[in-house]
Amino acid sequence: AQTVTQSQPEMSVQEAETVTLSCTYDTSENNYYLFWYKQPPSRQMILVIRQEAYKQQNATENRFSVNFQKAAKSFSLKISDSQLGDTAMYFCAFMKHLYLGGSQGNLIFGKGTKLSVKP
Amino acid sequence: DTGVSQNPRHKITKRGQNVTFRCDPISEHNRLYWYRQTLGQGPEFLTYFQNEAQLEKSRLLSDRFSAERPKGSFSTLEIQRTEQGDSAMYLCASSRGEAKNIQYFGAGTRLSVL
C-alpha cells in the first residue's frame, strides 16, 4: 500500500521569503503522479502543482516549484516570494497511474502542513 | 465550468439520525470521488463513480454508508444511524478521467454528530 508522509505539521514564513514543504512517499509502483493541493481556511482544496513520475524535469507553476527525487521518494514544494494569500494547509498526494491495473484514480494524502505567511 | 458544488455546507445532527449530502460535479466530468477528512488529517478515499457505476468502496465505508449517482450526474452520500465518529468533513471531487486524473474539489460538507 502507498503511504504519504508530511513531517512538518506547521511552518511559518515572512512575506516575500521562500519556504520549502517536505513530502516523502512509499510505493512499489513505477508509474504514478504526485500532487500538491492547497486548502485555505474554510475554502475548497485547489491543485497547486503536479508531477508525473516518468518525467525527470521538476514541475514549476509561477512561484511554485517542486524538487522531485524519485529514487529517494521525495517530493518537496518550494514557494518563492511568499504572499499572505499562500496561508493555507498544504497536502501532498499520490495517485497510481489511472490506466494501470487496479488503479481507481483515488488520491492518497499526507496529513498536511499548515503554512502561515506573516506580514 | 461552475466548479464542484456540495450541499449543505454544514450539518448538525443527533446520534442515530440519518443524513444525506449532495454533490454536483463539474458538468461532463465522468468520475466522481467522495473523501472524508477528520481534524488534523488529510482526506481519505471513501468511494468513487465512473458515470453512474460505483466501482470501488473503501473499507472505511461501513454498511451504514451508501452512495448513489443516478444518471451519472449529481451524487448523494447517505449515512444511516449516525455515530459521533462520523463527525468529519465530507469532500467530493470530480475529474474527466484522463491519465493524470486531475480532481477538482468541492468546499465540502461539515458534519457534526451530537
Side-chain angles (χ1 to χ4, degrees), chain A residues 1-7 22-29 32-35 72-75 92-96 106-112, chain B residues 43-44 59:
Chain A
Q2 292 83 15
T3 58
V4 177
T5 302
Q6 294 179 250
S7 58
S22 300
C23 173
T24 58
Y25 59 95
D26 189 23
T27 184
S28 58
E29 303 292 338
Y32 51 87
Y33 295 87
L34 295 164
F35 304 85
K73 296 180 182 175
S74 171
F75 183 61
C92 178
F94 171 99
M95 187 193 79
K96 185 177 174 181
N106 57 291
L107 294 163
I108 299 169
F109 288 90
K111 290 187 176 183
Chain B
E44 294 175 291
R59 66 182 187 283

Side-chain angles (χ1 to χ4, degrees), chain B residues 11 66 76 85 104:
Chain B
K11 179 71 176 178
S66 62
T76 59
Y104 297 84

Side-chain angles (χ1 to χ4, degrees), chain A residues 7-90:
Chain A
S7 58
Q8 304 151 316
E10 292 191 40
M11 292 192 73
S12 65
V13 63
Q14 292 295 129
E15 198 175 5
E17 296 294 308
T18 295
V19 64
T20 299
L21 307 184
S22 300
C23 173
T24 58
Y25 59 95
D26 189 23
T27 184
S28 58
E29 303 292 338
N30 194 43
N31 292 317
Y32 51 87
Y33 295 87
L34 295 164
F35 304 85
W36 280 97
Y37 276 88
K38 168 186 176 181
Q39 188 177 39
S42 301
R43 292 179 59 190
Q44 66 202 87
M45 203 164 323
I46 303 165
L47 177 65
V48 174
I49 197 166
R50 75 171 187 274
Q51 175 78 43
E52 291 88 342
Y54 61 86
K55 288 188 177 180
Q56 290 187 334
Q57 186 174 5
N58 289 324
T60 61
E61 286 287 345
N62 301 315
R63 297 183 295 108
F64 299 88
S65 61
V66 299
N67 183 3
F68 173 50
Q69 301 290 329
K70 190 172 183 180
K73 296 180 182 175
S74 171
F75 183 61
S76 61
L77 174 69
K78 184 171 82 171
I79 306 174
S80 303
D81 186 25
S82 297
Q83 300 176 359
L84 296 178
D86 295 333
T87 293
M89 284 291 292
Y90 285 82

Side-chain angles (χ1 to χ4, degrees), chain B residues 6 10 16 29 36-38 42 49 57 62 66 103 109-110:
Chain B
Q6 290 189 249
H10 304 277
H29 276 192
R36 182 171 69 187
Q37 184 179 18
T38 54
F49 293 82
K57 292 192 289 187
S62 76
S66 62
Q103 294 179 38
T109 294
R110 182 169 295 284

